[in-house]
Amino acid sequence: KLVYRASVDRFSEKAFYEACGTNSPTLMIITSNYNKIFGGFTDRSWDGNGYKCSSSSWLFSLDEQEMYPIKPDSTHYAIGCYEGQDGPVFGVGCDLLISFDRSGHHCYSNLGVTYDAQKYANDDEKRKSVLAGNHYFTVEEMEIFTVRF
């Protein structure tokens, strides 16, 4: 079930947390200004502040047709919730950070810190750009769905 669409519900920290805060599990689908489609899944809710533990969270790139599971030793940092401060974060190393600052200089990907991107271990540039098309990016659209298994 669709619970949040940035273009309809407003691209803002407040709108995101009002729509998604208590929902779980969720699937986040993002389109970047580089026309890349990617996102993440978590079984944890987005409410509160701080990092949440999960062994079931993962990131994905639709363009690359790849999934990046959380590293077994990093489960305590699956997602970061910063209600009242900023947008959602996947991983302690900001493997994926969504900022609601529309300048585009605050959304970024640092894939491979908390989520497994071993394939790109020797290619730092590709590791940081594989999700959104560049290390820094702007969100063109973001949708959040609650999912049932």
Side-chain angles (χ1 to χ4, degrees):
K1 175 183 171 188
L2 178 67
V3 294
Y4 174 80
R5 179 177 287 147
S7 62
V8 173
D9 300 314
R10 291 175 297 135
F11 186 72
S12 73
E13 171 267 331
K14 183 179 180 189
F16 171 81
Y17 285 107
E18 283 178 358
C20 305
T22 59
N23 287 304
S24 66
T26 56
L27 178 68
M28 178 183 297
I29 302 174
I30 300 165
T31 304
S32 77
N33 58 314
Y34 296 95
N35 293 317
K36 299 291 184 182
I37 301 172
F38 59 98
F41 167 85
T42 186
D43 58 339
R44 301 300 308 268
S45 65
W46 290 103
D47 59 339
N49 284 289
Y51 282 96
K52 294 188 178 183
C53 181
S54 172
S55 59
S56 302
S57 296
W58 41 267
L59 296 172
F60 70 93
S61 166
L62 200 61
D63 298 282
E64 299 292 327
Q65 296 184 8
E66 294 177 344
M67 189 172 113
Y68 312 100
I70 193 160
K71 294 178 179 179
D73 61 347
S74 299
T75 58
H76 290 291
Y77 306 104
I79 64 167
C81 307
Y82 296 98
E83 191 170 359
Q85 300 171 41
D86 209 346
V89 178
F90 280 87
V92 73
C94 297
D95 292 56
L96 178 59
L97 180 142
I98 303 301
S99 173
F100 293 103
D101 177 344
R102 293 301 273 168
S103 70
H105 298 292
H106 299 285
C107 292
Y108 65 92
S109 174
N110 194 28
L111 185 62
V113 177
T114 307
Y115 289 83
D116 191 358
Q118 186 62 36
K119 177 179 178 178
Y120 306 110
N122 296 321
D123 190 345
D124 202 44
E125 186 176 326
K126 180 69 173 178
R127 179 180 61 78
K128 291 179 178 181
S129 66
V130 69
L131 291 178
N134 197 347
H135 179 57
Y136 295 100
F137 63 93
T138 301
V139 172
E140 294 295 317
E141 183 64 277
M142 180 166 71
E143 296 177 325
I144 312 293
F145 296 85
T146 57
V147 293
R148 299 191 198 280
F149 298 104

